[in-house]
Amino acid sequence: MLIILGLIFGSFFAALSYRYPRQIPISKGRSFCPKCKKQINWYDNIPLLSFLLLGGKCRDCKKKISIRYPIIELTTAIGFFIIGFNIFNLLIFSILVLIFVIDFEHQIIPDNLVFLGVLVAISNLQSPISNLLAGFTCATLLLLVNLFTKGRGMGLGDVKFAVLGGMLVGLKLSLIWLFLAFLTGAIVGSILILGKKAGLKSQIAFGPFLVASIGLTLLWGEKILELLHLSN
């Protein structure tokens, strides 16, 4: 059930993350092929299954359908399955998926998604004041990086997202979260440079690393603190 629900929501997230940066209202008609602009029939719009049956190509223009669609759908389905029937966690996960995809593709972190995430977090966390402190502490640290690098090393979207990210991991794990985000960013950046997919001056979206590191921190943050002998 959760996998099917995840596929359905994943299909919606794929469409929303495509339309939002292009200022196309989600209410403006059914999904359409980005290449030929023809509306997609309902039977060609079944999450994941239609992509497989069509061989990854549009039925009308025969051009390839972006792999982003099945990846987002499958990732969301797996996430929903792992999380289970927890409305708060599903809402936060959904917001993080959208932020990850939009920033990865367009280097934009929508303010309204961050604010929505903060509101959801405040209404559900047991210690909202402590978590808000963690969020603003993380945001302040990233703001210092932004000011020091004059915006080249850190965008203000990342700074605002840090409020939400810090709230989710909490004060105790906030520095671990930022460390993992910078570490994964540096590793991926080095791989891209060595593979000549990016240059030393290329701008790489940092939001996806902040998002991914939230999961890493919640899974292994306490163990990292134990290894560093910093756990209570």
Side-chain angles (χ1 to χ4, degrees):
M1 177 63 182
L2 276 170
I3 291 178
I4 295 173
L5 194 63
L7 287 172
I8 294 171
F9 273 92
S11 180
F12 172 72
F13 296 156
L16 180 59
S17 60
Y18 175 86
R19 294 189 180 201
Y20 182 90
R22 296 169 175 82
Q23 298 183 335
I24 304 172
I26 198 66
S27 58
K28 191 176 180 180
R30 297 201 314 265
S31 297
F32 57 89
C33 173
K35 307 290 177 57
C36 65
K37 308 301 181 185
K38 288 199 66 173
Q39 278 194 342
I40 299 173
N41 295 314
W42 69 266
Y43 48 81
D44 287 334
N45 205 26
I46 302 172
L48 195 58
L49 181 62
S50 291
F51 181 87
L52 297 174
L53 292 176
L54 290 169
K57 295 181 180 179
C58 172
R59 183 183 295 274
D60 294 296
C61 66
K62 307 303 180 185
K63 291 184 179 178
K64 288 185 177 181
I65 301 170
S66 174
I67 194 68
R68 72 186 295 277
Y69 295 98
I71 288 177
I72 295 170
E73 292 166 357
L74 186 58
T75 300
T76 306
I78 293 172
F80 272 43
F81 178 75
I82 293 173
I83 291 169
F85 288 99
N86 184 307
I87 299 300
F88 167 65
N89 288 341
L90 289 175
L91 278 172
I92 290 296
F93 174 74
S94 298
I95 292 168
L96 294 180
V97 167
L98 286 168
I99 290 174
F100 183 103
V101 174
I102 293 173
D103 195 40
F104 177 79
E105 294 181 338
H106 301 278
Q107 297 189 358
I108 299 169
I109 298 180
D111 288 344
N112 51 4
L113 287 177
V114 174
F115 295 151
L116 176 61
V118 170
L119 288 175
V120 172
I122 288 175
S123 64
N124 286 275
L125 292 172
Q126 293 181 347
S127 304
I129 301 301
S130 173
N131 290 89
L132 271 172
L133 177 60
F136 282 108
T137 299
C138 291
T140 300
L141 293 173
L142 294 193
L143 179 60
L144 292 175
V145 176
N146 172 271
L147 295 174
F148 182 75
T149 62
K150 296 181 180 179
R152 292 189 295 272
M154 186 69 55
L156 288 177
D158 300 318
V159 174
K160 286 178 277 190
F161 176 75
V163 176
L164 173 58
M167 289 181 67
L168 296 176
V169 301
L171 193 59
K172 183 179 179 181
L173 297 176
S174 57
L175 292 181
I176 296 295
W177 170 53
L178 293 180
F179 169 75
L180 290 175
F182 280 106
L183 178 63
T184 54
I187 292 172
V188 173
S190 298
I191 292 172
L192 291 175
I193 290 172
L194 291 173
K196 298 183 179 180
K197 300 293 184 180
L200 291 173
K201 294 184 179 180
S202 298
Q203 287 191 335
I204 300 173
F206 190 53
F209 302 108
L210 289 170
V211 171
S213 294
I214 290 174
L216 296 176
T217 301
L218 294 176
L219 285 172
W220 295 303
E222 290 287 350
K223 292 181 179 179
I224 294 174
L225 287 178
E226 289 177 7
L227 289 173
L228 297 173
H229 302 291
L230 294 175
S231 181
N232 293 333

